[in-house]
Amino acid sequence: MSVAKKEYKRITTKTLVDMKKRGEKISMLTAYDYTMAKIVDSAGIDVILVGDSASNVMAGHETTLPITLDQMIYHAASVVRAIERSLVVVDIPFGSYQSDPKEALRSAIRIMKESGGHAVKVEGGREIKESIKRILNAGIPVMGHLGLTPQSIYKFGTYTVRAKEEEEAEILKADALLLEKAGCFGIVLEKVPAKLAAEVAASVTIPIIGIGAGNGVDGQVLVTHDMLGMTHEFNPRFLRRYLDMFEDMTGAFKSYITDVKSGDFPNEEEQY
């Protein structure tokens, strides 16, 4: 059953918890630059994720691993300057928090101070709980990320669905409870069976945001460039393309080239 959408002037971490209590689904998309963030925010999105997926989308890397903390801060600062309503969550990149809680805190502080972001996101459960606690103790909101965790892709060896077997599913459910108890305000759950995701969402009071995790969770996130059809090589089952911008942009570029070559652009009205 759909729930009437409440108007929020500014989305906060508390807003998201309230939305879960009310049964209102949470919308979340990525942005990495000012122009895109301005459009996404003005459309009314609840959460903007400055994802380390910028490593793939903006820089062309095969994985999220190469992007640096300095680069994440640059992207996040660009996004924050565009925002009037959305909550901005920033990924802490690979190698900046996993092994040393003190380094995790330093990384989170840099993101908050230098970008103006509203929260950080980290991947993993019990193995990074000390880093999460250290960040939270400094008053910095933390979003978790379980299931398929792209920063660990070389450990998994594949981007296939996670937690299909009972043992891994039980670990995931325990990690979700651990993240809630530690103080995380929400969790992204990526590429896990829909039934398991619904169980996790029902077991915690914090919002579960799914990507490839079915409709029984509290909200959804997609990479904006994917849902707009700007990318065309990536076709997972969970992706719904709302536009085909690859075709539209290619057509526009070709028309521009034709007009320039023919001398049609600029015409008399487009000159001084």
Side-chain angles (χ1 to χ4, degrees), residues 208-227:
I208 301 296
I209 310 297
I211 177 167
N215 200 29
V217 292
D218 305 302
Q220 301 293 331
V221 59
L222 286 175
V223 172
T224 299
H225 290 66
D226 293 338
M227 61 87 73

Side-chain angles (χ1 to χ4, degrees), residues 131-145:
S131 290
I132 291 173
K133 287 180 180 178
R134 185 66 67 101
I135 297 170
L136 286 165
N137 284 343
I140 299 172
V142 176
M143 175 173 269
H145 186 145

Side-chain angles (χ1 to χ4, degrees), residues 116-158:
H118 308 137
V120 298
K121 182 169 77 64
V122 292
E123 296 182 7
R126 64 195 67 187
E127 68 275 15
I128 61 163
K129 67 178 182 180
E130 294 306 319
S131 290
I132 291 173
K133 287 180 180 178
R134 185 66 67 101
I135 297 170
L136 286 165
N137 284 343
I140 299 172
V142 176
M143 175 173 269
H145 186 145
L146 298 173
L148 177 64
T149 47
Q151 290 180 8
S152 303
I153 188 57
Y154 289 127
K155 181 180 78 173
F156 295 143
T158 175

Side-chain angles (χ1 to χ4, degrees), residues 17 21 43-44 65 89 119 132 143 168 177 179 209 212 249 254:
V17 175
K21 289 178 182 177
L65 274 61
V89 179
I132 291 173
M143 175 173 269
E168 188 178 352
L177 291 170
L179 292 179
I209 310 297
M249 291 172 73
K254 286 183 175 180

Side-chain angles (χ1 to χ4, degrees), residues 146-149 153 156-165 168-169 172 189-197 211-214 236-238:
L146 298 173
L148 177 64
T149 47
I153 188 57
F156 295 143
T158 175
Y159 284 100
T160 191
V161 176
R162 304 304 311 171
K164 291 189 288 187
E165 304 299 326
E168 188 178 352
L172 188 149
L189 202 52
E190 181 168 358
K191 222 169 181 184
V192 300
K195 182 180 178 182
L196 172 62
I211 177 167
R237 182 188 300 185
F238 63 78

